[in-house]
Amino acid sequence: EIMRLARTPEIVNWMKSVRRKIHQNPELAFEEHETSRLIRSELDRLDIAYRFPLAKTGIRAVVGTGNPPYVALRADMDALPIQEAGDWEHKSANAGKMHACGHDAHVAMLVGAARILKAREQQLKGTVVLLFQPAEEAGNGAKRMIRDGALENVDAIFTMHVSHLLPTGVMGSRQGALLAGCGFFKAVIKAGKGSNAFLAASAAVISLQGIVSRESDPLESQVVSVTFIKSRDGTGTGTPAQAELGGTVRAFSKENFRLLFRRIEEVMVAQSEVYGCSATVDFFGGSDAVYPPTTNDNKMYEHMKKTALRLVGTDNFRVVEPLMGAEDFSFYSELVPAVFLFIGIRNESVGSVHSVHTPHFMIDENALPLGAAIHAAMAETYLYEHG
């Protein structure tokens, strides 16, 4: 019944319209004012109550009894600072901004789920919380939503993300760690008397490459990447007196994160001393931009898989490999049982083949009904089983 509702022409065309309006007016992190206004307008038409603002532009809506249990569904709203290169009727009208990660589709799917759940509100055995979150790309939208009460009373949470790696109509996920945690480091190397800070930095970069290749478990994916290096004279002699370098760290467990951070600092300090310099390292530990790994709760994963199989059948559900990408949904998954699902949008016939975060990225809108249905079915069946 949920799938039938999601596929009705009226709802399909409406979801496409919502998605296209958002796509034409992409807004960056914490600037999603028009996107938020459009969502609230649709919620008002559906007579769905909501709280606004959370995290500046975010929304927390509720459907159901208003009583426990509470299950949350989350969609992100922000776009990227990318100039859209594709050419279609509804391309971005905002220069240098583009929905290059599918968040416009995520919002349309969740609004579609809201409409389905409202139509079936008498069937709900608890409360569905609908979270429309800003600033996923900036890395701190989820944290600010949480601080503003997004997870109040919530027992579990579900989200999904479009994927060009899966064909349209196919869904995929896995138990345990699905997406890597992501952190950053910056080191400042200062030259001692007669020493060269840039030479010390260069040696440190080479030594950092051995941490993963020589010290890490080869069966556990980890990344240490130096992404910038710069130096300045400051002495008038042409010899760099100070160098800065930094980069990113990715791993699938907090334990490996701590180990990588420790070894990076040890390498930076020791190599600098070899060249007569001193080094300090900052890992931005208190920053919202440090993502923990996104890990699927085992029971929530089984619930999601069972629901997905009922919707699309065994041939259209895949256990996917872990990905080194990071997601701020991980902040929710640290606090309540959570599950993250990929929904396929790959369709060569419409040109939906390009990776996210690229100027040619586009989606197959035929995925919208399935996205709305899996959201609604996940929530309704969760409440039925836990109510």
Side-chain angles (χ1 to χ4, degrees), residues 86-104:
D87 189 16
W88 68 302
E89 183 182 354
H90 304 283
K91 69 180 296 183
S92 170
N94 297 341
K97 301 176 185 179
M98 176 189 174
H99 271 290
C101 200
H103 296 186
D104 51 341

Side-chain angles (χ1 to χ4, degrees), residues 223-360:
V223 171
V224 175
S225 293
V226 176
T227 57
F228 77 89
I229 182 169
K230 59 184 179 180
S231 65
R232 60 183 176 86
D233 180 358
T235 65
T237 65
T239 301
Q242 180 172 306
E244 295 180 9
L245 65 126
T248 184
V249 180
R250 292 178 185 253
F252 284 98
S253 73
K254 288 186 175 180
E255 293 75 17
N256 285 336
F257 254 138
R258 286 192 287 268
L259 177 60
L260 290 175
F261 286 168
R262 177 173 64 81
R263 289 296 292 133
I264 289 170
E265 184 166 26
E266 289 173 351
V267 167
M268 294 300 308
V269 171
Q271 280 289 0
S272 297
E273 289 177 349
V274 168
Y275 288 88
C277 301
S278 61
T280 57
V281 186
D282 185 2
F283 294 104
F284 309 101
S287 169
D288 290 340
V290 179
Y291 292 44
T294 299
T295 303
N296 284 336
D297 175 81
N298 287 341
K299 289 184 178 179
M300 280 294 287
Y301 172 80
E302 291 300 331
H303 173 73
M304 176 273 297
K305 183 178 179 181
K306 179 174 64 176
T307 306
L309 291 176
R310 291 177 67 185
L311 286 175
V312 300
T314 56
D315 291 341
N316 291 313
F317 183 86
R318 299 179 186 175
V319 177
V320 300
E321 293 299 315
L323 297 175
M324 294 308 294
E327 239 275 1
D328 79 346
F329 184 73
S330 56
F331 293 113
Y332 300 113
S333 70
E334 281 197 311
L335 299 176
V336 296
V339 68
F340 189 105
L341 171 71
F342 288 109
I343 180 167
I345 55 166
R346 187 176 187 86
N347 185 342
E348 289 82 357
S349 67
V350 299
S352 182
V353 297
H354 301 284
S355 173
V356 297
H357 291 218
T358 61
H360 289 281

